[in-house]
């Protein structure tokens, strides 16, 4: 009995080993098949087809397109196929290093200096280099002070181009119902020496009890902070030297209402008794005028002005029966064309 059981166990063991051996050989067969399949694909040289990205699953809202630096992208090297529906804007590139290193008038080498000079003359002429006439009555007014009523004019104008002009200026005053007390006329050649500044030279003729002829040298222009400056030195035919400096400033209250402070200083290098002028600081005037521009070219105004004679000039004025300090209330009109 025991022998039969032993024999049966041995037979079952032998049968199980056989089944296991058969199963092992089958799995190896499957591995070899997979290897042969991969080897076949590699032999054919066909890479596995990439799968198409599923854009429907992308969250484009979460992408920060604003942080992209398009300036660093070299679009010139990108191969945009013809017909690209959106090639993007053409990016500006910096000028090459050799830019500006050529001759200042390179066009002369192509068209000739004579032809280009004519073209430059035409360009300059059409951009404002032509003669114009301008006239302005800066002060044309009646003055009222204690016991006297007088009038005054202060005119100027020019004819010429932007850099060279003929200037004329005239000032005078007198009492209503009487003769003209003082009058002067200047004829000046003016040349630009800087933007907004001209140097002027010419002659001045004063008319009155003592007619006097002067040589004039001065400057006129627009100083920083928009101060209009007119300064000149005068050498008379008698040899005396005097000078005058005027400064005005237009301050707009509205587009048409303008207040204008004004100051004038007259100096003398020596006494000129026949003209009532003392050496040094001869006279100072300071005033303010308020004008309203009915049109840009026509503006009535009112104002007040104070004048002082100083030093020896004050003594000469008092000796002649005049006040050395006078306040004037003024009404006038400023116009130009």
């Amino acid at each position: 009995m025991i022998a039969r059981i032993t024999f049966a166990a041995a037979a079952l063991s032998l049968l199980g080993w056989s089944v296991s051996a058969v199963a092992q050989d089958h799995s190896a067969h499957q591995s070899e098949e997979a290897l042969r399949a991969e080897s076949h694909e590699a032999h054919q040289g066909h890479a596995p087809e990439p799968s198409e990205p599923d854009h429907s699953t992308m969250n484009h809202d979460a992408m920060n397109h604003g942080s992209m630096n398009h300036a660093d992208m070299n679009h010139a090297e990108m191969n945009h196929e013809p017909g690209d529906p959106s090639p993007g804007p053409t990016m500006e590139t910096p000028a090459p290093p050799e830019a500006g290193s050529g001759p200042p008038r390179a066009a002369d080498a192509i068209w000739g200096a004579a032809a280009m000079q004519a073209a430059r003359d035409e360009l300059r002429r059409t951009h404002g280099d032509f003669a114009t006439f301008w006239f302005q009555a800066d002060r044309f007014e009646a003055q009222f002070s204690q016991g006297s009523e007088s009038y005054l004019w202060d005119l100027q104008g020019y004819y010429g181009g932007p850099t060279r002009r003929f200037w004329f200026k005239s000032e005078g005053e007198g009492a209503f119902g009487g003769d003209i007390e003082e009058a002067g006329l200047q004829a000046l050649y003016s040349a630009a020496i800087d933007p907004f500044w001209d140097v002027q030279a010419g002659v001045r003729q004063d008319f009155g009890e003592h007619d006097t002829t002067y040589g004039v040298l001065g400057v006129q222009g627009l100083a920083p902070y928009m101060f209009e400056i007119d300064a000149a030195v005068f050498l008379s035919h008698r040899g005396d030297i005097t000078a005058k400096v005027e400064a005005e400033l237009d301050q707009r209250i509205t587009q048409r209402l303008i207040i204008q402070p004004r100051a004038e200083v007259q100096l003398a290098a020596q006494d000129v008794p026949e003209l009532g002028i003392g050496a040094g600081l001869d006279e100072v005037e300071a005033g303010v005028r308020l004008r309203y521009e009915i049109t840009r070219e026509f503006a009535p105004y009112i104002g007040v002005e104070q004048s002082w004679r100083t030093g020896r000039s004050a003594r000469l004025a008092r000796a002649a029966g005049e006040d050395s300090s006078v306040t004037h209330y003024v009404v006038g009109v400023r116009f130009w064309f």
Side-chain angles (χ1 to χ4, degrees):
M1 183 66 178
I2 296 172
R4 291 179 182 177
I5 293 172
T6 304
F7 177 76
L12 291 173
S13 300
L14 180 59
L15 180 60
W17 177 82
S18 299
V19 172
S20 175
V22 172
Q24 182 178 2
D25 292 341
H26 182 69
S27 63
H29 175 71
Q30 288 179 340
S31 296
E32 291 176 358
E33 288 293 332
L35 290 173
R36 281 198 296 272
E38 291 178 2
S39 175
H40 177 71
E41 291 176 354
H43 177 72
Q44 295 295 331
H46 295 289
E49 289 292 333
S51 58
E52 290 292 332
D54 188 3
H55 289 275
S56 62
T57 62
M58 296 181 181
N59 185 6
H60 287 271
D61 295 336
M63 298 180 182
N64 186 5
H65 292 272
S67 63
M68 296 180 181
N69 188 1
H70 289 269
D72 293 337
M73 298 180 181
N74 190 353
H75 289 267
E77 295 180 0
M78 296 181 180
N79 185 19
H80 292 288
E81 296 295 336
D84 189 338
S86 180
T90 302
M91 305 302 293
E92 293 185 359
T93 56
E98 62 273 17
S101 61
R105 294 182 173 179
D108 291 358
I110 300 173
W111 305 105
M116 290 308 302
Q117 184 60 46
R120 293 187 184 99
D121 292 342
E122 179 66 13
L123 182 65
R124 184 168 53 251
R125 188 188 66 78
T126 56
H127 281 71
D129 189 12
F130 48 82
T132 57
F133 176 80
W134 173 77
F135 172 84
Q136 182 186 59
D138 190 30
R139 292 182 296 163
F140 192 74
E141 63 191 27
Q143 299 184 336
F144 305 92
S145 59
Q146 292 182 346
S148 68
E149 298 175 354
S150 60
Y151 56 86
L152 177 145
W153 74 84
D154 181 1
L155 317 174
Q156 62 179 343
Y158 65 76
Y159 177 78
T163 57
R164 292 177 175 80
R165 296 168 176 170
F166 166 74
W167 276 80
F168 58 92
K169 303 177 183 179
S170 178
E171 291 187 35
E173 60 184 2
F176 285 108
D179 296 332
I180 296 176
E181 298 176 358
E182 297 178 3
L185 178 64
Q186 298 183 49
L188 307 169
Y189 174 77
S190 175
I193 56 174
D194 201 61
F196 309 111
W197 285 99
D198 293 345
V199 61
Q200 300 173 337
V203 296
R204 164 188 163 188
Q205 179 65 46
D206 281 1
F207 306 94
E209 184 179 357
H210 302 280
D211 291 351
T212 306
T213 303
Y214 297 89
V216 183
L217 179 63
V219 294
Q220 184 169 357
L222 193 64
Y225 302 101
M226 305 298 289
F227 282 92
E228 296 182 19
I229 304 295
D230 186 359
V233 177
F234 308 98
L235 174 64
S236 78
H237 68 277
R238 295 182 296 269
D240 51 82
I241 299 175
T242 56
K244 182 170 67 174
V245 180
E246 298 179 24
E248 297 177 351
L249 177 65
D250 281 357
Q251 289 290 297
R252 290 190 177 274
I253 301 173
T254 67
Q255 288 295 319
R256 294 185 179 273
L257 189 63
I258 300 157
I259 190 168
Q260 182 196 62
R262 179 182 180 277
E264 178 179 319
V265 176
Q266 297 188 35
L267 307 166
Q270 66 292 300
D271 292 339
V272 188
E274 59 269 34
L275 299 180
I277 297 175
L281 184 60
D282 173 33
E283 185 174 4
V284 177
E285 293 180 1
V288 61
R289 289 167 175 79
L290 181 67
R291 72 174 186 267
Y292 181 80
E293 292 183 341
I294 298 175
T295 64
R296 298 301 182 196
E297 298 83 3
F298 186 84
Y301 63 81
I302 58 174
V304 60
E305 186 170 84
Q306 179 71 38
S307 63
W308 300 271
R309 304 295 298 272
T310 65
R312 182 169 174 77
S313 295
R315 292 193 291 273
L316 292 173
R318 287 192 291 268
E322 301 174 358
D323 294 331
S324 59
S325 176
V326 181
T327 301
H328 295 287
Y329 300 95
V330 304
V331 177
V333 62
R334 182 178 190 263
F335 60 94
W336 59 271
F337 55 87

